[in-house]
């Protein structure tokens, strides 16, 4: 028997869940998820014999705006989020095999990451032409505005930490649209900082109990509208109605929401909308490996007085950085232990996704051990592989997104980290915006 609904959502990652929640309890919709759990990349896991250690396998923390989509959704769900403790506010970068403070604000004057010449080049930013390199790569933009040294020392590790990508390949306008907007509006980065001083800034927050608390709350709110272990095999569309075949039956819907990875969305659309499937299918993605390692506090020499560290390409290391998970959230483990999380792979070393656990641990032993003064062996290790999971916003991405949106019929909603932003805050804001449009817009 075919079930008829007004809206069918395929995919229960954070985008699909946020969209369904924003439509409200009266909405006539069903959410299908092919996996046995909802949440997608947002995944918190309890480790240890008694579940005494908490590890984030996906986003470690969330970026909260002062007001907006994610903030509003948490309030609706009755969830509390907290800033990391003050002693977790530092960020570190690796410089010549040791950790140094990331140069925020006045620290830029004394940082060893830049030579005197590099600092002078950075200081000349207000005199750079405003309209140059806005539509090129991240590397082009940074080189033009603050110089090659700053690119190598500061922006290269930042881009790897956010996008796991290569700044020479990534589109500045696609990856950092807010910075482009500031330069277009104010004529430069320093001028923008001066003119926007005093504006409320977004902050890093974490839901009490871990990021999975959001998934659990959304799942509870949706109730039986969410169907797990329900894979979709094919789509059909006659111009008015979407027909969907899945492992839990057939559905007809006036509106279809695809909240899936780009490759999965392209596959499903290939027969019903090939002109739309082609640009979606052309999106490349980076793979990432997360290695959570738990240590006795007594076996870690570094004070772990920060958020974590990132590694620049010029350091020639095989990992991208390490997060101090139990500094960010002290309730992630007992005081006698610490939880660390090392990230590897991305565009810098794509082959890492296929390394064995033993090979991954060898990298932790040889590189992280020295930086954090680790002694002995970790008490617990959890490896998570995210294959082809971070979309590459390359130089063609702005035009690609425009082509996707132009080819998308009104009754189809596309959601995911491969469109306009990879952060949870971006995904939730986009999903809620599309849900608000659905409440007033026709589906044909």
């Amino acid at each position: 028997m075919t079930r008829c609904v007004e809206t069918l959502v395929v995919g229960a990652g954070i985008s699909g869940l946020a969209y369904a929640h924003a439509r409200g309890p009266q909405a006539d919709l069903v959410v299908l998820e092919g996996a046995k759990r909802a949440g997608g990349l947002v995944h918190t896991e309890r480790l240890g014999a008694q579940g005494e250690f908490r590890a984030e396998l996906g986003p470690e923390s969330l970026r909260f705006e002062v007001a907006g989509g994610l903030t509003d959704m948490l309030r609706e769900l009755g969830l509390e989020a907290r800033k990391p403790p003050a002693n977790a506010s530092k960020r570190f970068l690796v410089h010549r095999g040791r950790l140094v403070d990331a140069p925020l604000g006045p620290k830029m004057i004394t940082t060893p990451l830049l030579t005197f010449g590099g600092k002078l080049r950075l200081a000349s930013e207000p005199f750079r032409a405003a309209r140059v390199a806005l539509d090129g790569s991240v590397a082009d933009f940074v080189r033009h505005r603050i110089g090659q040294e700053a690119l190598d020392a500061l922006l290269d590790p930042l881009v790897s930490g956010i996008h796991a990508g290569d700044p020479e390949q990534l589109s500045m306008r696609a990856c950092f649209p807010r910075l482009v907007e500031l330069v277009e509006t104010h004529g430069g980065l320093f001028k923008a900082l001066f003119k926007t001083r005093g504006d409320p800034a977004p902050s890093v927050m974490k839901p009490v109990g871990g990021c999975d608390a959001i998934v659990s709350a959304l799942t509870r709110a949706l109730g039986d509208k969410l169907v797990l272990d329900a894979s979709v095999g094919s789509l059909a569309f006659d111009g008015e109605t979407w027909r969907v075949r899945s492992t839990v039956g057939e559905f007809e819907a006036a509106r279809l929401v695809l909240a899936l990875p780009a490759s999965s969305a392209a596959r499903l659309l290939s027969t019903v909308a090939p002109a739309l499937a082609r640009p979606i299918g052309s999106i490349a993605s980076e793979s990432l490996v997360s290695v959570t390692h738990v240590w006795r506090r007594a076996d870690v020499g570094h004070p772990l007085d920060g958020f974590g560290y990132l590694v620049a390409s010029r350091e020639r290391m095989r990992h991208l950085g390490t997060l101090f998970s139990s500094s960010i959230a002290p309730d992630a483990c007992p005081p006698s232990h610490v939880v660390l999380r090392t990230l590897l792979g991305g565009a810098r070393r794509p082959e890492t996704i296929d390394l064995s656990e033993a090979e991954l641990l060898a990298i932790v032993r040889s590189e992280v051990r020295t930086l954090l003064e680790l002694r002995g062996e970790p008490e617990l290790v959890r490896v998570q592989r995210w294959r082809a999971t971070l979309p590459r916003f390359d130089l063609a991405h702005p035009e690609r997104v425009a082509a996707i949106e132009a080819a998308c019929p009104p009754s189809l909603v596309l959601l995911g980290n491969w469109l306009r932003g990879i952060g949870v805050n971006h995904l939730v804001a986009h999903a809620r915006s599309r849900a608000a449009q659905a409440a007033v817009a026709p589906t044909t």
Side-chain angles (χ1 to χ4, degrees):
M1 179 181 291
T2 300
R3 180 175 175 182
C4 297
V5 293
E6 191 276 335
T7 299
L8 183 69
V9 181
V10 180
I14 195 66
S15 293
L17 293 174
Y19 177 93
H21 173 75
R23 289 292 303 275
Q26 304 306 316
D28 178 23
L29 62 76
V30 170
V31 181
L32 302 181
E33 168 56 48
K36 297 183 184 299
R37 61 168 291 275
L41 300 181
V42 179
H43 191 185
T44 309
E45 194 169 277
R46 288 281 178 178
L47 307 175
Q50 306 298 323
E52 63 270 34
F53 306 114
R54 192 177 69 230
E56 299 291 354
L57 305 185
E60 185 71 32
S61 59
L62 307 175
R63 187 173 175 84
F64 284 70
E65 309 295 336
V66 175
L70 184 55
T71 306
D72 292 346
M73 189 176 78
L74 289 182
R75 184 174 60 251
E76 293 163 6
L77 294 170
L79 294 179
E80 180 187 357
R82 298 172 181 166
K83 292 183 179 180
N87 65 355
S89 61
K90 277 189 195 177
R91 268 68 168 173
F92 297 99
L93 295 172
V94 178
H95 177 60
R96 297 180 179 175
R98 63 184 183 89
L99 299 188
V100 301
D101 288 4
L104 305 175
K107 291 181 181 178
M108 196 70 74
I109 298 172
T110 58
T111 181
L113 293 165
L114 299 175
T115 65
F116 180 72
K119 293 171 185 176
L120 285 179
R121 175 64 179 83
L122 185 148
S124 72
E125 191 274 336
F127 306 101
R128 311 304 294 180
R131 299 288 173 176
V132 174
L134 299 182
D135 292 299
S137 70
V138 173
D140 292 336
F141 176 89
V142 176
R143 265 193 294 263
H144 169 66
R145 299 226 65 85
I146 57 177
Q148 183 69 44
E149 267 196 52
L151 170 63
D152 294 340
L154 308 178
L155 270 297
D156 170 82
L158 176 65
V159 169
S160 287
I162 297 174
H163 289 272
D166 179 353
E168 299 286 356
Q169 297 178 338
L170 300 179
S171 161
M172 184 66 197
R173 194 174 288 275
C175 293
F176 301 104
R178 176 59 176 156
L179 288 182
V180 173
E181 178 188 347
L182 287 173
V183 171
E184 288 179 324
T185 302
H186 301 290
L189 296 175
F190 287 1
K191 292 175 184 176
L193 286 173
F194 178 77
K195 292 181 179 180
T196 60
R197 69 193 188 283
D199 289 357
S203 59
V204 173
M205 305 283 279
K206 188 159 186 148
V208 174
C211 293
D212 224 29
I214 301 175
V215 176
S216 297
L218 288 168
T219 299
R220 287 193 301 270
L222 288 174
D224 59 8
K225 291 182 178 179
L226 172 62
V227 184
L228 300 177
D229 205 10
S231 299
V232 170
S234 64
L235 306 177
F237 183 52
D238 62 9
E240 293 185 357
T241 302
W242 291 92
R243 293 177 175 82
V244 178
R245 288 188 174 185
S246 78
T247 54
V248 294
E250 296 189 7
F251 294 81
E252 288 188 358
R255 178 181 287 106
L256 177 67
V257 180
L258 291 184
L260 297 169
S263 58
S264 299
R267 176 182 58 80
L268 287 176
L269 291 168
S270 60
T271 55
V272 295
L276 179 57
R278 279 192 292 273
I280 296 174
S282 71
I283 298 173
S285 295
E286 314 298 354
S287 298
L288 202 63
V289 180
S290 167
V291 179
T292 299
H293 37 120
V294 177
W295 298 78
R296 291 194 314 123
R297 187 65 188 87
D299 291 335
V300 182
H302 193 278
L304 303 180
D305 53 340
F307 198 89
Y309 67 82
L310 294 171
V311 183
S313 300
R314 66 184 186 179
E315 293 294 321
R316 306 296 182 191
M317 289 186 171
R318 291 168 291 174
H319 73 293
L320 303 175
T322 296
L323 295 163
F324 304 162
S325 299
S326 53
S327 295
I328 299 167
D331 63 345
C333 67
S336 58
H337 288 74
V338 297
V339 179
L340 303 174
R341 184 179 176 205
T342 299
L343 301 175
L344 310 94
R348 195 182 293 175
R349 290 186 177 271
E351 71 282 358
T352 305
I353 191 68
D354 294 315
L355 294 183
S356 67
E357 184 168 317
E359 290 170 316
L360 294 168
L361 288 178
I363 295 173
V364 171
R365 288 190 186 96
S366 65
E367 296 182 355
V368 183
R369 180 188 296 276
T370 302
L371 293 169
L372 298 183
E373 302 172 46
L374 304 176
R375 295 178 289 273
E377 295 294 325
E379 292 201 354
L380 188 150
V381 173
R382 169 68 163 89
V383 174
Q384 175 68 38
R385 302 172 196 270
W386 295 110
R387 195 176 293 274
T389 195
L390 285 177
R392 184 186 301 164
F393 288 2
D394 59 19
L395 296 176
H397 198 70
E399 290 185 3
R400 182 188 292 119
V401 170
I404 290 169
E405 292 178 343
C408 191
S411 61
L412 176 64
V413 176
L414 298 173
L415 301 175
N417 65 358
W418 43 272
L419 279 167
R420 294 187 176 275
I422 64 171
V424 171
N425 59 317
H426 291 107
L427 301 179
V428 170
H430 184 214
R432 288 171 66 88
S433 172
R434 295 308 307 269
Q437 293 170 14
V440 297
T443 55
T444 58

